[in-house]
Amino acid sequence: MIDVLVVDDDFRIAEINAKYVRRVPAFQVTARAHSTAQALAAVQRGTIDLMLLDHFLPDQTGLELVHRMREQGHCTDVIMITAAGDVTTVQAAMRLGALHYLVKPFTFAALHARLDSYAALRRTVDRVGGSGIAGQEQVDRIFSALRTTPTPPSPGLPSGHSEPTTDLICRVLHRADRPLSAHEVAAETGLSRSTAQRYLRHLEQAGRLRLSLKYGDMGRPEHRYAWVAP
């Protein structure tokens, strides 16, 4: 099994990412961290093969964590999973040895592809690394193991929608004891109201939520959404 450390300052996103990892054969989540200090402590305890790392953390950035790890001699592999999409951060991640860079929001299929390529890399290194000497053919095989093919959007999700955000909204509605408005869902999830409204509309049209109207004394009625049990 490949031991994975999930690092994200948002507890809910960390749980969603961990759930995704557990769906991929040969991978297991052995720890979660919500700061660079917690992550570094987990790495120092050993047994971590791969870190899924957010860049925006409360005490330091994810890349500063990677730099500290390398200075201390830790060779834990890193896949960046972050909303940081600027070229400077991407380039810095490459220079520090990140194996993949996944921009939020992303789909399970996209993460699955990266994890599969990582597992393929480990298998390839094990096969060709017995002698400790690799010719050009073996080197090419190692580097090509990390290549991934573009993954299409998940079936059923419109363009611009992500599985983690969909799952997060579904969990909030599932545990609610009453219908919620878009404003309440946004407050529970940390999303903007417009983003929450967009996902709620799609889920209602897909039959996963039930829409009701709450009329006040004046103005437009408030849309409220309730979970529909399968």
Side-chain angles (χ1 to χ4, degrees), residues 6-8 10-19 32-34:
V6 175
V7 185
D8 198 295
D10 189 317
F11 286 71
R12 294 164 297 184
I13 298 300
E15 173 57 29
I16 291 172
N17 291 348
K19 182 181 71 173
R32 278 177 286 180
H34 309 292

Side-chain angles (χ1 to χ4, degrees), residues 119-134:
L121 171 66
R122 289 173 62 96
R123 290 193 299 269
T124 302
V125 171
D126 288 343
R127 280 199 302 269
V128 305
S131 65
I133 301 174

